Amino acid sequence: MWSVLLFAGGLAWGQSPHEAVPDVTLGKRIFDSQCAVCHGQGGTGGRGPALTKPKLAKAPDEESLRRAIAQGIPPEMPGSWQLSVREVASVARYVVGLGQVAPEKLPGDAQHGRAVFQAKGCGGCHLVAGQGTARGPDLSAIGAKRNGAHLRASITQPAAHLAEDYLLVEVVSAGKTVRGVRLAEDPFTLQLRDGAGALHSFRKSQVQRWRHLPAESSMPAFARNLSATELDDLVAWLASLRGEQQ
Ligand code: HEC
Ligand code: HEC
C-alpha cells in the first residue's frame, strides 16, 4: 500500500492525483514557504488574491485547485512544477481550510466608509459596481483580493503597492514632458494616458528621453486628507466589497 502511494507521489501531474493522501501540516509548511510571498500569511491576500473564501473563482473545487497550484494561472500565478502530486494535494487541502476562516475583523464602520469614499472623490478615478470613472482599477471586488493592511497602504502611500497595469511613465518629446499611465509598450513604441485622460503615442526613436517611474503612483496620497476614523471606515468598506451588488 505505502509503496504504491510513494510511487504515485513521484508520477507526473495528472496521472494519478487521487492516490495522493494530503497532509495539511505539510501543506501549511509549503504554503508558508512558497505561496505566502504573494498570497499573504494565512492566505489573506497581497499581490495575489485572498484565498480565505468559501469559493475561489478560478479554483471552485479541490480538483481544479490542485490543477491551479500545479500548472499555475497564466500569466501572473506561477505553476509549482517542483511539487510532487502529494505535495500539491497537501497545499490544496490547506487552502480549502483557509476558505472556512471568517474574513478579517477590521475596526471601522463600513457603511460610513462608503460615504467617505463619495465625499473624498474616490469615485472620480474608481468604479464600484459600475458607478464612477475607470481611471484607476475597478474596486468592485477589491475586498476579495486585498487584505486590510494592503488596502490601508494603497490609500495612504499609493506607490507602496502599485496595482498591476498602472505603471507611470515619463516621456520628454519636442521639449515637452508628458507623464501618464502606460497603456501599451513594445521595443519601438509607447502609449500612455495622462492625468487629464488624453492619450499619447510615441515612437521611442523620436523622443528625447523616456523612463518608467516604478516608485510612483498617479493616485494622490490621502494620508493627510483623512482622519484616523475615516481611514478605518474606508478600509472596512473596501474590505466588504466582494463583487456582489452593493
Ligand atoms: C508570484 C506570486 C504568486 C505565487 C508565488 C503564488 N501565487 Fe497563487 N496567484 C497569484 C496571482 C497574481 C493570482 C491571480 C491570477 C488570476 O486571477 O489571473 C493567483 C491565483 C491563485 C488562486 C486562484 C484564486 C481565485 O480566487 O480563484 C489560487 C487557488 C492560488 N493562486 C493558490 C496558490 C498557491 C497554493 C500557491 C503556492 C503553491 C500560489 N498560489 C503561489 C500569485 C501567486
Ligand atoms: C486621480 C485618480 C485617483 C483618485 C482620486 C483615487 N485613486 Fe485610488 N488609484 C488610482 C490609480 C491610478 C491606482 C493604481 C495605481 C496604484 O496602485 O497606486 C489606484 C489604486 C487604488 C487602490 C489599490 C487597488 C489594488 O488593486 O490594489 C485602492 C484600494 C484605491 N486606489 C483606493 C482609493 C480610494 C479609497 C480613494 C479615495 C480616498 C482613491 N483611491 C482615490 C487613482 C486614483
Side-chain angles (χ1 to χ4, degrees):
M1 172 74 180
W2 280 107
S3 62
V4 172
L5 288 176
L6 291 175
F7 182 59
L11 286 177
W13 173 253
Q15 284 182 265
S16 57
H18 301 291
E19 290 176 53
V21 175
D23 171 349
V24 180
T25 313
L26 171 66
K28 179 178 184 332
R29 208 178 324 128
I30 297 170
F31 189 91
D32 289 346
S33 65
Q34 301 186 27
C35 318
V37 56
C38 290
H39 290 284
Q41 287 294 332
T44 50
R47 175 174 163 198
L51 302 175
T52 49
K53 284 180 279 177
K55 194 163 195 151
L56 297 168
K58 303 216 165 143
D61 53 52
E62 209 166 326
E63 172 84 48
S64 54
L65 181 54
R66 285 194 295 257
R67 204 176 315 118
I69 293 168
Q71 300 176 357
I73 305 172
E76 280 192 77
M77 154 85 183
S80 295
W81 307 103
Q82 75 283 7
L83 298 179
S84 70
V85 170
R86 176 163 175 266
E87 287 171 329
V88 167
S90 299
V91 192
R93 184 61 57 81
Y94 171 71
V95 171
V96 167
L98 296 176
Q100 283 135 21
V101 176
E104 273 180 291
K105 282 252 168 298
L106 293 167
D109 170 353
Q111 269 318 313
H112 183 242
R114 176 191 212 147
V116 175
F117 188 86
Q118 279 158 359
K120 298 293 172 182
C122 313
C125 290
H126 293 285
L127 283 172
V128 173
Q131 303 277 316
T133 309
R135 285 171 61 193
D138 188 325
L139 301 179
S140 306
I142 195 73
K145 283 169 69 184
R146 313 288 189 208
N147 67 13
H150 189 112
L151 290 171
R152 189 173 287 272
S154 297
I155 298 166
T156 56
Q157 310 155 263
H161 299 287
L162 211 55
E164 303 87 32
D165 302 332
Y166 288 90
L167 179 69
L168 267 188
V169 289
E170 184 183 85
V171 177
V172 182
S173 177
K176 276 208 250 159
T177 304
V178 183
R179 275 180 166 225
V181 172
R182 177 177 71 178
L183 300 177
E185 176 173 3
D186 64 28
F188 311 105
T189 65
L190 191 54
Q191 276 94 45
L192 59 92
R193 189 177 49 219
D194 69 21
L199 304 182
H200 301 263
S201 192
F202 299 99
R203 293 212 139 261
K204 288 177 178 173
S205 60
Q206 289 168 6
V207 304
Q208 282 155 277
R209 347 184 250 288
W210 63 272
R211 60 184 179 130
H212 292 162
L213 304 169
E216 292 182 38
S217 170
S218 52
M219 169 163 158
F222 280 86
R224 275 187 231 98
N225 298 352
L226 293 166
S227 70
T229 323
E230 284 174 327
L231 183 58
D232 281 348
D233 296 352
L234 198 46
V235 169
W237 184 61
L238 292 171
S240 77
L241 300 178
R242 285 167 185 265
E244 299 103 25
Q245 240 8 65
Q246 295 300 314

